[in-house]
Amino acid sequence: MHLDSTTEAIAHFIGLFSQTVEEVRMRMDYVEFDPLEERAPEQDELLNININIISPYLLKDYSPRVEYTPPPTDQFREKVVSAVAHNPMALDAQSGGFGGAGPSTDAIAFRTGAEAPAFPEYQPLGSLAWYVKQEARLEDNDYLSIGDHGLVMSQVGDPGAALAVLIGAASEFQPFSHLDEPGSAEEIGDFIMHAPHLADAFADDLPDGADIFIARSEALEGQYVNGEAVEETPLLEDHLPDGVKANGGEDDDAETDFSLHAKIEVEAGGNLLVNEAILVNDWYGAPVLAVAGDYVHFNTISQLNVWSDSDAIGGALEGWQSLTAQPTNAFNIATMQTIDNPRPETAGNGEGEPDFPSHWLVSRIDGDLVLANWVKQVSFVEDNDITVMSATGGGTVIELGGNLTVNVASLAELGIYYDLIIIGGNIYNANIISQTNILLDDDLVGTLEGFETSGPASLSTSGNLLWNEASITQYGTMSFEALPPSYLEAANQLAAGPGAAPGALLASDDFSGMTNLKVLYISGDVVDLQYISQTNVLGDADQVALAKAGAEANADGDWSVSTGGNALVNQAAITDGGVNATTYAGGNVYSDELLIQAELISDDTGLYTQSGDALVNEAVAFLSDDLMAPEQDGEHSAPDAATPDAGSADVMQTMLG
């Protein structure tokens, strides 16, 4: 029973008084009380219990080592399979020339005694295929509530659906990003033949008013930035957002004020997505190529930047934003160049008359020579953050973004150079680079009734960077002429089998000053495909509500809110090694080079349809009295600040196809 303070004191006093009276009375019978004498306890018989211990372990002598065999672990096994077809020609020394296997830039003929010369056998080149798919996916959708405001905020709109709108729009402007990798030599050849038709269809179906630059000719040369020819290209480090640079460690020495003064710094952007690929193809080459069939050459760089940066900002915060507003920048940078690379001078006989080879050394490939490098890189990041904040009594730094994804691939194929390459079929050669950046940065920042601050404040919702940089470099110029009879005779002779070199071929001016003619013969086609596809997709639709604290304190707090500052970077380079060459073609010659640079800025994703303050007030609700009540019966009752569980469906089917 619960008593008030006065009643409790009286009751306590009466209790003490009663004890005192009892002691004074000293009952008379207590004096005559004779207690029993203390007796020794009786001892019972001890229990006799037998314990038998059985142990599977045997004690051994001391051993200073502990022997331990760990259990087996799961292993990931990856197989790399390569096949090289090699049918070497038998060495056959004949008068007037020699048919043999083996090209080498260092081939040296030697004699055995005084008999006919013999030559070493050389391993011919083989086919090479490299298919790589790199994919980075990250979902970082945060919900954060800070301060004594008693509010909960639901997500406004559907950022996933808005991002899907941008991805769908990008697919119409990028003809080379969603192609399936070919398998066999025939499929690769068909792919190369079909690529120019894709370019034709893309040019014919361009939508009206699209900001697209297209350059196309037999040979493109120069540097281009956003559709304009330039002498110098910009540098990436000069345009990276400050938030990305800070995440990279450049501002690690910066100090944060954690004093009792109310200061809140919020970084909900600052994400960095990077795809980088480098292919160096120096597998084979010669200053003279003789093709019995057709020669098909196709180079293309296709670059696309798509973004939406339509923000809904509360009226009270427009002044914050005007002080720190930075635009989103997008760059498409492409370089196509051919670098002159003359073959080494050959020496004469010292009497002004050039020397000519007296025989050839032949390395033979029966079938097709296939070189295929297929690299596909994808980065997909969702960073849609929701925050409800009021100022606290000290310094607070909140980082909800700052994510980093990186895909890197690098390959250098180094082979052998010859003096002459004879192809019995066709040559199909293509270098293709496709780059796409897609960014959704539609932010919502608003205030609730009663929010105010007299301290310094800044708001940045943009300042993003979309960067595509690509180059295709060919070492050695290329000239084309009709196939002379001597080269056709040599091709027919090698198709029939080993034999002596035609005299007219050895006497060609193309081989003046040489002592040995190193030849690679390919009976089928040469199929050479270098393909790089890079795609960055970032959804960074942040939603921020600023509220006053329940105690209405900290009205002079410092505020710094940033929801942008992201960087999406694609960098790719394809380098074809070689020397200045003359190509003799018995069929048709097709050469096509294409550059596409496109930019699509969207302001109609449908994510926000009202002002920032209106949307925030609709999305924010006060917590009920039951949720704010204290704990009872040992059970915890806390506000449920979880946002509605919006599904993160894969909106990348189009770009990943």
Side-chain angles (χ1 to χ4, degrees):
M1 179 177 177
H2 181 69
L3 303 176
D4 59 71
S5 59
T6 303
T7 304
E8 184 178 1
I10 293 172
H12 183 65
F13 174 78
I14 292 174
L16 293 176
F17 179 78
S18 298
Q19 292 177 8
T20 304
V21 172
E22 183 69 20
E23 291 176 359
V24 173
R25 287 176 181 172
M26 294 296 291
R27 296 180 182 180
M28 300 303 294
D29 54 353
Y30 179 78
V31 176
E32 298 176 358
F33 177 75
D34 185 13
L36 297 176
E37 295 181 0
E38 183 179 1
R39 298 178 180 178
E42 296 181 1
Q43 299 291 335
D44 296 332
E45 294 183 1
L46 296 177
L47 295 177
N48 186 12
I49 301 175
N50 295 325
I51 300 176
N52 296 324
I53 300 176
I54 300 175
S55 174
Y57 303 102
L58 298 177
L59 295 177
K60 296 182 178 181
D61 295 336
Y62 168 74
S63 174
R65 294 184 179 180
V66 177
E67 297 180 357
Y68 171 69
T69 302
T73 58
D74 295 335
Q75 295 184 355
F76 175 76
R77 298 184 180 275
E78 180 67 23
K79 246 184 221 182
V80 177
V81 180
S82 62
V84 177
H86 173 41
N87 297 306
M89 254 175 96
L91 291 176
D92 184 14
Q94 302 180 16
S95 58
F98 297 87
S104 171
T105 53
D106 299 323
I108 300 176
F110 61 90
R111 291 182 176 274
T112 57
E115 300 298 328
F119 300 94
E121 182 178 342
Y122 298 93
Q123 179 74 27
L125 291 171
S127 296
L128 181 63
W130 195 54
Y131 290 81
V132 175
K133 182 177 181 180
Q134 296 176 318
E135 186 173 324
R137 287 177 177 265
L138 173 65
E139 186 175 319
D140 184 33
N141 301 323
D142 301 316
Y143 182 91
L144 178 66
S145 178
I146 287 184
D148 182 19
H149 48 65
L151 303 173
V152 63
M153 184 175 180
S154 300
Q155 188 177 75
V156 177
D158 188 350
L163 184 60
V165 171
L166 295 180
I167 294 175
S171 64
E172 301 178 6
F173 291 85
Q174 187 56 282
F176 299 101
S177 65
H178 56 279
L179 304 177
D180 295 328
E181 61 270 19
S184 63
E186 182 179 358
E187 290 179 357
I188 298 174
D190 292 341
F191 177 90
I192 296 174
M193 293 294 293
H194 183 61
H197 298 294
L198 289 176
D200 295 336
F202 174 76
D204 294 339
D205 297 335
L206 285 179
D208 297 334
D211 186 9
I212 298 179
F213 168 77
I214 298 179
R216 191 173 187 179
S217 71
E218 292 185 2
L220 285 177
E221 189 77 20
Q223 302 177 109
Y224 298 85
V225 177
N226 294 340
E228 296 184 2
V230 297
E231 295 296 329
E232 258 184 66
T233 58
L235 299 177
L236 174 61
E237 53 265 28
D238 295 337
H239 297 275
L240 283 174
D242 293 337
V244 172
K245 291 181 179 178
N247 289 338
E250 294 187 12
D251 295 336
D252 289 345
D253 296 334
E255 296 183 358
T256 303
D257 182 9
F258 291 105
S259 64
L260 295 180
H261 177 68
K263 182 176 182 180
I264 291 186
E265 298 180 10
V266 181
E267 174 61 73
N271 300 289
L272 175 60
L273 287 69
V274 179
N275 292 317
E276 180 179 308
I278 300 174
L279 298 179
V280 178
N281 179 17
D282 200 13
W283 192 238
Y284 72 101
V288 181
L289 282 80
V291 186
D294 299 331
Y295 182 95
V296 179
H297 172 77
F298 181 70
N299 281 351
T300 184
I301 295 177
S302 180
Q303 299 172 315
L304 172 64
N305 285 318
V306 178
W307 80 89
S308 177
D309 193 9
S310 301
D311 304 316
I313 307 300
L317 304 179
E318 292 178 353
W320 294 16
Q321 189 179 30
S322 63
L323 299 176
T324 57
Q326 294 181 352
T328 290
N329 294 317
F331 291 89
N332 287 320
I333 305 168
T335 301
M336 286 188 172
Q337 60 180 339
T338 300
I339 299 176
D340 185 62
N341 188 25
R343 64 177 178 178
E345 294 291 337
T346 54
N349 57 12
E351 299 178 0
E353 293 294 332
D355 286 333
F356 291 94
S358 58
H359 50 262
W360 63 7
L361 304 175
V362 179
S363 180
R364 185 184 188 95
I365 296 177
D366 290 316
D368 300 326
L369 176 63
V370 179
L371 301 174
N373 294 315
W374 186 280
V375 179
K376 198 164 190 176
Q377 298 173 320
V378 177
S379 291
F380 182 84
V381 176
E382 283 187 297
D383 184 34
N384 304 313
D385 304 318
I386 301 175
T387 59
V388 186
M389 293 176 295
S390 61
T392 59
T396 304
V397 177
I398 304 166
E399 184 170 336
L400 304 175
N403 299 293
L404 171 64
T405 63
V406 179
N407 292 317
V408 178
S410 178
L411 174 68
E413 297 171 347
L414 308 178
I416 302 175
Y417 273 69
Y418 307 87
D419 300 319
L420 169 64
I421 298 178
I422 300 176
I423 297 100
N426 307 303
I427 291 182
Y428 301 101
N429 173 259
N431 298 309
I432 299 175
I433 297 177
S434 175
Q435 297 177 317
T436 305
N437 286 317
I438 302 174
L439 170 65
L440 173 68
D441 188 37
D442 292 355
D443 300 315
L444 167 62
V445 186
T447 61
L448 296 168
E449 183 179 356
F451 175 82
E452 63 180 14
T453 181
S454 59
S458 65
L459 171 63
S460 175
T461 60
S462 189
N464 304 291
L465 174 67
L466 291 82
W467 184 278
N468 288 321
E469 183 177 2
S471 67
I472 297 178
T473 303
Q474 170 69 53
Y475 281 87
T477 60
M478 187 76 71
S479 61
F480 297 93
E481 298 181 17
L483 186 66
S486 59
Y487 287 89
L488 180 59
E489 179 185 357
N492 293 334
Q493 179 175 310
L494 290 174
L505 177 70
L506 297 176
S508 172
D509 292 338
D510 293 325
F511 312 119
S512 173
M514 297 183 181
T515 56
N516 299 313
L517 184 61
K518 296 174 287 294
V519 180
L520 171 63
Y521 173 70
I522 303 169
S523 65
D525 298 330
V526 173
V527 182
D528 187 351
L529 173 62
Q530 310 296 313
Y531 176 87
I532 298 175
S533 174
Q534 298 174 318
T535 302
N536 285 316
V537 180
L538 173 61
D540 185 40
D542 302 312
Q543 300 176 2
V544 181
L546 305 182
K548 69 175 181 180
E552 299 186 13
N554 306 313
D556 61 343
D558 302 349
W559 286 85
S560 175
V561 179
S562 175
T563 59
N566 303 289
L568 289 72
V569 179
N570 288 319
Q571 293 181 308
I574 296 177
T575 300
D576 269 340
V579 295
N580 296 353
T582 301
T583 299
Y584 298 110
N588 298 319
V589 175
Y590 177 85
S591 180
D592 190 7
E593 295 193 345
L594 173 69
L595 173 61
I596 302 173
Q597 293 183 327
E599 183 176 284
L600 176 61
I601 305 174
S602 174
D603 56 1
D604 188 22
T605 60
L607 189 55
Y608 306 133
T609 58
Q610 303 179 57
S611 67
D613 290 335
L615 290 172
V616 165
N617 281 274
E618 289 182 5
V620 173
F622 285 91
L623 298 172
S624 67
D625 294 338
D626 293 339
L627 292 175
M628 296 298 292
E631 300 176 5
Q632 296 181 0
D633 300 330
E635 297 182 359
H636 294 281
S637 176
D640 182 10
T643 59
D645 191 10
S648 57
D650 184 4
V651 296
M652 284 288 291
Q653 296 110 343
T654 303
M655 303 304 294
L656 287 179

